[in-house]
Amino acid sequence: MTARSRADLATASRIVVKVGSSSISGESSWRIPVLVEALAAAHARGAEVVLVSSGAIATGIPFLQLDARPTDLATQQAAAAVGQTMLVYRYQESLRPFEIVAGQVLLTTGDLENPTSRSNARRAMERLMGLRVLPIVNENDTVATQEIRFGDNDRLGALVAQLIGADALILLSDIESLYTKPPSDPGAEPIDVIAADADLSGLEFGATVVNSVGTGGAATKVSAARLAAASGIGVLVTSADLVDKALAGAEIGTWFEPAV
């Protein structure tokens, strides 16, 4: 049943959690076991959990002995090919103590736009969850070109939530909640709840930020959250460090009310 409030996350049956590159790669890779422990707790109570995880390119960079994120497509694809295997390995090692098996699912926009491949993707995801496998979804960076990219994994998280009919979507960020303007600006106030029909024109969400390991920002999260909420899926945006509290239904972050 659709999560109508944060409290419903504690009992939601099907949840999509999205985490970005900056939260789980490089010096932040220590956070993977912490994230997994929270997902495992939800899994243990019977919830079906899907993880949308960025980080393939960022994880692959040091293995290719590169000093920074590559700018050309071919090297990005090479880094993704190397990084994706290591990323899933790290997740699986963290899942092992909980006796949970990870299943890798790589998608492009074409997979979700074409009716046949979309149906195949949904069927595969449903079967994985039915087998109590934890699907780990990422964009298929090795074959994706600029023209067929999702743009960011916040959007991919929303589309996956729609694909499987999730009860809730949790978008993990570097900060606890969204703000009325960039949080470093004077007068910025945290946003508690955003109604499905809310007018956000007076708010100042930061444009997409590009850093050394990934892309993202408040604007992409708002766009993705509204996309999912419009489909009747409740969305929480909060810090990756608070994922355990988020899955327990705590009053944290910014909640996007689902459309009725």
Side-chain angles (χ1 to χ4, degrees):
M1 185 172 64
T2 297
R4 310 303 307 183
S5 68
R6 294 177 183 85
D8 292 336
L9 289 171
T11 55
S13 298
R14 182 171 288 185
I15 306 169
V16 175
V17 178
K18 182 268 173 179
V19 65
S21 297
S22 61
S23 296
I24 49 88
S25 60
E27 294 182 356
S28 297
S29 60
W30 61 267
R31 195 176 277 111
I32 288 180
V34 178
L35 171 63
V36 163
E37 184 174 0
L39 300 181
H43 187 276
R45 68 166 176 79
E48 295 174 331
V49 182
V50 173
L51 176 64
V52 176
S53 176
S54 304
I57 294 176
T59 301
I61 287 172
F63 291 95
L64 298 182
Q65 299 182 345
L66 301 175
D67 295 328
R69 184 184 177 94
T71 56
D72 66 290
L73 180 61
T75 308
Q76 290 176 5
Q77 291 171 324
V82 172
Q84 187 64 38
T85 57
M86 182 55 67
L87 184 62
V88 172
Y89 171 78
R90 290 173 178 173
Y91 277 122
Q92 183 59 72
E93 285 301 291
S94 296
L95 286 165
R96 195 178 307 282
F98 303 100
E99 299 183 349
I100 299 174
V101 175
Q104 177 177 267
V105 180
L106 299 178
L107 298 171
T108 66
T109 54
D111 296 324
L112 298 185
E113 291 173 351
N114 179 277
T116 299
S117 56
R118 179 181 174 87
S119 178
N120 288 339
R122 181 189 296 112
R123 183 172 59 245
M125 296 275 283
E126 291 282 354
R127 188 61 182 132
L128 285 168
M129 290 184 291
L131 292 168
R132 301 299 290 156
V133 170
L134 195 154
I136 299 178
V137 183
N138 197 358
E139 180 157 23
N140 194 346
D141 289 308
T142 303
V143 301
T145 63
Q146 198 62 38
E147 292 74 25
I148 63 170
R149 292 186 62 84
F150 290 103
D152 62 86
N153 272 5
D154 292 315
R155 177 174 172 80
L156 175 57
L159 294 174
V160 168
Q162 290 178 334
L163 178 71
I164 65 171
D167 299 319
L169 168 65
I170 299 176
L171 298 175
L172 298 177
S173 177
D174 295 330
I175 56 176
E176 183 173 342
S177 66
L178 296 173
Y179 286 76
T180 52
K181 58 179 67 176
S184 59
D185 289 2
E189 297 288 340
I191 302 173
D192 182 39
V193 176
I194 295 179
D197 59 351
D199 179 6
L200 304 183
S201 59
L203 303 178
E204 300 176 24
F205 297 113
T208 299
V209 175
V210 179
N211 55 37
S212 61
V213 295
T215 60
T220 67
K221 286 176 174 56
V222 171
S223 177
R226 301 214 85 177
L227 175 64
S231 300
I233 301 168
V235 184
L236 180 68
V237 177
T238 194
S239 167
D241 291 330
L242 300 176
V243 61
D244 55 340
K245 294 182 178 179
L247 287 166
E251 290 292 319
I252 58 173
T254 300
W255 176 254
F256 287 77
E257 293 182 339
V260 177

